[in-house]
Amino acid sequence: MKATAKAHTNIALIKYWGKRNEELILPTNNSLSLTLDGFYTTTTVDFQEDLKADSFELNGIPEQGEAYKRVTAFLELVRKMAGKEVYAHVASDNQVPTAAGFASSASGFAALAAAASKAIGLDLDDKELSRLTRRGSGSSSRSIYGGFAEWQMGEKKDGSDSYAVPIADENHWDIRMAGVVLTSEMKKISSRAGMRRTVETSPFYEGWLKSIPEDLTGIKEAIQEKNFIQVGEIAEANCLKMHATSLGAKPPFTYWLDSTIRVMRQVQKMREQGIPAYFTIDAGPNVKVLYLPEHEAEVERMLREVPGVTDVILSKPGPGVSYL
Amino acid sequence: MKATAKAHTNIALIKYWGKRNEELILPTNNSLSLTLDGFYTTTTVDFQEDLKADSFELNGIPEQGEAYKRVTAFLELVRKMAGKEVYAHVASDNQVPTAAGFASSASGFAALAAAASKAIGLDLDDKELSRLTRRGSGSSSRSIYGGFAEWQMGEKKDGSDSYAVPIADENHWDIRMAGVVLTSEMKKISSRAGMRRTVETSPFYEGWLKSIPEDLTGIKEAIQEKNFIQVGEIAEANCLKMHATSLGAKPPFTYWLDSTIRVMRQVQKMREQGIPAYFTIDAGPNVKVLYLPEHEAEVERMLREVPGVTDVILSKPGPGVSYL
């Protein structure tokens, strides 16, 4: 009853920003992401009949705090699905630079869900796996697939129709993403808390939701047609809308630093110089920049010259979940 | 047929951000401001029967471009009201540091409206004067009064019920405002163009409008009670909402610079250190900071130490229009 799985992280181009059900992790809108090569988690789950409790080791270090709680709560779901009361040793190797604002929970839970469900004898297809891993981390539902994936919010109360579907795999189109590292400080307001406060108090939340369908239609069309400018413009505008909603929250907040604005301005400058590049920003200060392979050297150079940038990490589209 | 009037600029605590009628300058929401001492325009209007056209001199320099057009278009309204076809020499002395993002059009048109209407023989009360000057510059409607004033948007199509009313005069409460100068560069998107694009394209505009009545009720109550924290919190949140709306425009835009964020963070830091201070930002990168007289030295010191701040200009509440 042992299995090992590998999953890559993903960055949303149409953001997941708000839950309609906190416990089941059901979102208020569809989101769409690009799975990234190079950033992944490899997890081994070993269910053993004689264990009295789960254990969790991350990069060789035993975890006992919040991370352990999330893992064991997730394994509880897997046990219920399988109808087996058996505990596991979980060992994860996390190759995601969390300091760069790459969400490690996406690859982490996708790898855990894949390894745990296989080890316990569940035979899940991608859709079922996506629905399961969603319970650990919403954005992990998209990491089941390579390339572009869309998390369909679903309508049912029990969440049975809330899972991701593939849009175009990692071989469809080689567009690149640079992770621009500005700070490794923990943000004061977690994504979870930030989206909750925004959903509950921002007068802009309704406008955000209303604007999503058009963004989704446009970006899916652009992905199929490999229209980079259209993908970039929609992704950048979508992230700005997401960040706008938090400025209306009570109390208001922003994840941006002064250097966040400098990187945004530098990306505008790239475009003024004829380099198509667009930014997206998750619930934190760090910026990700979309660009095409032929502009990689210039994009990296221009990002590194921005004061406050401590690192620039480049990535290609990555694959979906695999078993080792 | 000659008169001289003096008017002070004002800074909105509840922002004017969008017109329902561009020609009549009718706003989509009520706004509320503090008139500032120290920043003013003194204007002399001299109607002379033998003149063939208007002339306009600003700080001793004859103007012929956009500024002249706005002045002569405004004088045309005054002539129609008075039923007299007579042209004027207009001389303005502008003591408003426009580079600091203090709106000189507010004091400029309020002084022009007062001097021109008096010179041509119209006997307008404050309400009528506010309604008239609104046609030159919306925010100037509030500069007729000292201290706190509210521009009531009105409902009528002809704008006859759209004018400002006094809330509390300049002697009611000594709260202070620091103008934090970050750049004297012209902004790429004017207030006029910015609000128009936002009204027409932002999914957040409706949420902005819906949130105004509560802000207005709260800040008027706080002004009467001299509750500084309540005034500050509402003003700061209101300005963040205004700036959020532009992030949703198509295409999106922001007036903020990296240094704008640094000043915002510095004001947060003041509060963490026990100094009640709050910021507001108009359609531009510069920041204004509200504080109490007893914290003036500390507020100025902390603002001046922010990298990118080129000047800090302090001000008290100022009086309404006067005739010299």
Side-chain angles (χ1 to χ4, degrees):
Chain A
M1 292 178 75
K2 182 176 173 179
T4 300
K6 182 178 175 182
H8 290 71
T9 194
N10 71 76
I11 297 295
L13 304 179
I14 305 297
K15 301 296 185 192
Y16 155 47
W17 189 237
K19 297 180 180 72
R20 67 178 200 275
N21 181 316
E22 295 254 348
E23 202 223 323
L24 295 176
I25 310 192
L26 298 176
T28 47
N29 64 272
N30 289 22
S31 52
L32 187 145
S33 63
L34 177 63
T35 297
L36 296 183
D37 196 43
F39 310 131
Y40 54 86
T41 305
T42 308
T43 295
T44 299
V45 178
D46 188 2
F47 286 103
Q48 295 177 4
E49 294 293 352
D50 58 335
L51 290 174
K52 298 275 184 288
D54 298 315
S55 66
F56 175 43
E57 206 170 82
L58 180 60
N59 294 342
I61 298 160
E63 295 276 335
Q64 261 134 15
E66 201 49 48
Y68 172 77
K69 277 186 203 160
R70 284 183 75 182
V71 166
T72 191
F74 186 78
L75 290 175
E76 202 52 39
L77 295 173
V78 176
R79 281 188 281 267
K80 273 189 188 158
M81 266 181 96
K84 290 181 189 168
E85 199 155 335
V86 57
Y87 296 98
H89 283 307
V90 177
S92 280
D93 178 39
N94 197 26
Q95 295 294 327
V96 179
T98 51
F102 287 111
S104 62
S105 68
S107 56
F109 276 96
L112 177 65
S117 59
K118 192 180 179 203
I120 210 164
L122 290 165
D123 185 28
L124 305 182
D125 63 20
D126 283 350
K127 191 182 285 185
E128 291 165 327
L129 191 55
S130 174
R131 185 164 50 204
L132 170 62
T133 192
R134 187 202 80 219
R135 299 289 301 274
S137 154
S139 58
S140 74
S141 65
R142 299 180 308 240
S143 272
I144 302 305
Y145 307 98
F148 298 93
E150 180 181 3
W151 176 12
Q152 300 178 330
M153 60 176 287
E155 291 175 353
K156 295 189 183 161
K157 278 202 169 172
D158 65 359
S160 58
D161 57 350
S162 184
Y163 47 77
V165 296
I167 295 296
D169 75 18
E170 65 273 26
N171 302 310
H172 169 67
W173 189 18
D174 185 15
I175 68 172
R176 304 285 169 90
M177 192 173 271
V180 185
V181 187
L182 300 171
T183 176
S184 56
E185 265 183 56
M186 281 287 287
K187 53 199 180 196
K188 285 182 188 168
I189 300 168
S190 70
S191 315
R192 229 162 241 234
M195 65 172 77
R196 190 187 304 132
R197 192 196 293 177
T198 302
V199 171
E200 288 170 2
T201 66
S202 176
F204 304 133
Y205 198 70
E206 210 179 307
W208 156 257
L209 289 183
K210 276 189 191 162
S211 78
I212 301 291
E214 192 183 323
D215 285 1
L216 273 170
T217 305
I219 205 165
K220 284 193 278 190
E221 180 189 279
I223 290 166
Q224 294 312 329
E225 294 170 356
K226 302 183 189 178
N227 181 337
F228 183 73
I229 291 173
Q230 192 173 326
V231 165
E233 285 182 350
I234 293 172
E236 190 171 296
N238 184 269
C239 109
L240 289 172
K241 284 188 286 192
M242 173 191 134
H243 286 268
T245 62
S246 79
L247 294 175
K250 287 184 189 173
F253 64 99
T254 178
Y255 289 109
W256 297 353
L257 299 175
D258 56 347
S259 47
T260 307
I261 299 256
R262 281 198 295 272
V263 175
M264 288 162 58
R265 298 275 182 212
Q266 185 78 333
V267 171
Q268 284 180 323
K269 194 172 148 190
M270 290 177 195
R271 294 202 291 265
E272 285 160 16
Q273 295 183 5
I275 301 165
Y278 297 87
F279 60 79
T280 184
I281 309 169
D282 287 302
N286 297 313
V287 184
K288 282 93 186 178
V289 179
L290 273 172
Y291 61 93
L292 290 167
E294 57 265 38
H295 300 117
E296 185 153 276
E298 189 63 4
V299 167
E300 183 179 9
R301 190 189 62 74
M302 286 185 74
L303 289 173
R304 285 193 184 274
E305 79 187 24
V306 178
V309 170
T310 61
D311 203 2
V312 175
I313 305 170
L314 310 175
S315 186
K316 291 191 254 194
V321 157
S322 60
Y323 297 91
L324 307 181
Chain B
M1 293 178 71
K2 181 174 174 180
T4 299
K6 181 177 175 183
H8 290 70
T9 193
N10 70 77
I11 296 294
L13 304 179
I14 305 295
K15 301 296 186 194
Y16 155 46
W17 188 236
K19 298 181 179 72
R20 66 177 200 277
N21 182 316
E22 296 255 347
E23 202 222 321
L24 296 175
I25 310 192
L26 299 175
T28 47
N29 64 271
N30 289 23
S31 52
L32 188 145
S33 63
L34 177 63
T35 296
L36 295 183
D37 195 44
F39 310 131
Y40 54 87
T41 305
T42 309
T43 294
T44 299
V45 177
D46 188 2
F47 286 102
Q48 295 178 6
E49 295 291 352
D50 58 337
L51 290 175
K52 298 274 182 290
D54 298 314
S55 66
F56 174 44
E57 207 171 83
L58 181 59
N59 293 341
I61 298 160
E63 295 277 335
Q64 263 134 15
E66 201 49 47
Y68 171 78
K69 277 187 202 161
R70 285 183 76 183
V71 165
T72 190
F74 186 80
L75 289 175
E76 202 52 40
L77 295 173
V78 177
R79 281 187 280 265
K80 273 191 188 158
M81 264 180 97
K84 292 182 190 168
E85 198 154 336
V86 57
Y87 297 97
H89 282 307
V90 177
S92 278
D93 178 38
N94 197 26
Q95 295 294 325
V96 178
T98 51
F102 288 110
S104 62
S105 69
S107 57
F109 276 96
L112 177 65
S117 60
K118 193 179 180 201
I120 211 164
L122 290 166
D123 186 26
L124 305 182
D125 63 20
D126 284 349
K127 191 182 287 186
E128 291 165 328
L129 191 55
S130 174
R131 186 165 50 205
L132 169 63
T133 192
R134 187 201 80 220
R135 300 289 301 275
S137 153
S139 58
S140 75
S141 66
R142 299 180 308 239
S143 272
I144 302 304
Y145 307 99
F148 299 92
E150 179 180 4
W151 177 12
Q152 299 178 331
M153 60 177 285
E155 291 174 355
K156 295 188 183 163
K157 277 202 171 176
D158 66 359
S160 58
D161 57 350
S162 186
Y163 48 76
V165 296
I167 295 295
D169 75 18
E170 66 273 25
N171 302 310
H172 168 66
W173 189 18
D174 185 15
I175 69 173
R176 304 283 170 92
M177 192 173 271
V180 184
V181 187
L182 300 171
T183 177
S184 57
E185 266 183 55
M186 281 286 286
K187 52 200 181 196
K188 286 182 187 169
I189 299 167
S190 70
S191 314
R192 229 160 240 232
M195 65 172 76
R196 190 187 304 132
R197 192 196 294 178
T198 301
V199 171
E200 288 170 3
T201 66
S202 176
F204 304 132
Y205 198 70
E206 208 181 309
W208 157 257
L209 289 183
K210 276 189 191 163
S211 78
I212 301 290
E214 191 183 323
D215 286 1
L216 273 170
T217 306
I219 205 163
K220 285 193 277 189
E221 179 190 279
I223 290 165
Q224 295 313 327
E225 294 170 356
K226 302 183 188 176
N227 180 337
F228 184 73
I229 291 174
Q230 192 173 326
V231 165
E233 285 182 350
I234 293 172
E236 189 171 297
N238 185 269
C239 108
L240 289 172
K241 284 188 286 194
M242 173 191 134
H243 285 268
T245 62
S246 78
L247 294 176
K250 288 184 189 176
F253 64 100
T254 178
Y255 289 109
W256 296 354
L257 299 175
D258 56 346
S259 48
T260 308
I261 298 257
R262 280 198 294 274
V263 175
M264 288 163 58
R265 299 277 182 211
Q266 185 78 334
V267 171
Q268 284 180 323
K269 194 172 149 190
M270 290 177 194
R271 294 201 290 265
E272 285 160 15
Q273 295 182 5
I275 301 164
Y278 297 87
F279 60 79
T280 184
I281 309 169
D282 287 303
N286 298 313
V287 183
K288 284 92 185 178
V289 178
L290 274 172
Y291 60 94
L292 291 167
E294 58 265 38
H295 300 119
E296 185 153 277
E298 188 64 3
V299 167
E300 183 179 10
R301 189 189 62 74
M302 285 185 74
L303 290 173
R304 285 193 185 273
E305 79 188 22
V306 177
V309 170
T310 60
D311 203 2
V312 175
I313 305 169
L314 310 176
S315 186
K316 292 191 253 195
V321 157
S322 60
Y323 297 91
L324 307 181

